[in-house]
């Protein structure tokens, strides 16, 4: 819902992860439907990856994690999204 929205980018939505065991855990969801990153049009893919980097910078700045793990799996939800775990 709107209470979990972190930021709306041109090509994605950043939301708080459904559980905050790792404070600052976010999910970045592509606005364009694709099962795989390579299926996005090249320009959209570049912009989406830049948005992921901006979100990663924000999470690092806010939470100062020792490590920021970023993963995209899609086994459960076959729509392109990234998990950012501080």
């Amino acid at each position: 819902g709107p209470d979990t929205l972190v930021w709306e980018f041109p090509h994605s939505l950043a939301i708080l992860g459904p559980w905050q065991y790792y404070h600052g855990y976010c999910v970045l969801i592509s606005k364009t439907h694709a099962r795989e990153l390579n299926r996005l049009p090249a320009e959209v893919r570049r912009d989406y990856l830049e948005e992921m980097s901006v979100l990663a910078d924000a999470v690092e700045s806010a939470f100062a994690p020792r490590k920021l793990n970023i993963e995209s799996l899609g086994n459960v939800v076959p729509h392109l999204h990234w998990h950012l775990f501080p």
Side-chain angles (χ1 to χ4, degrees), residues 11-51:
H11 297 284
S12 62
L13 293 173
I15 63 169
L16 285 177
W19 45 269
Q20 289 291 304
Y21 181 77
Y22 299 105
H23 297 289
Y25 161 46
C26 290
V27 180
L28 187 68
I29 304 165
S30 174
K31 288 183 178 178
T32 301
H33 176 66
R35 291 175 65 99
E36 308 296 343
L37 183 62
N38 60 301
R39 301 289 182 177
L40 288 177
E43 183 177 329
V44 173
R45 181 175 55 241
R46 281 190 299 271
D47 291 347
Y48 179 49
L49 288 172
E50 181 60 27
E51 292 167 0

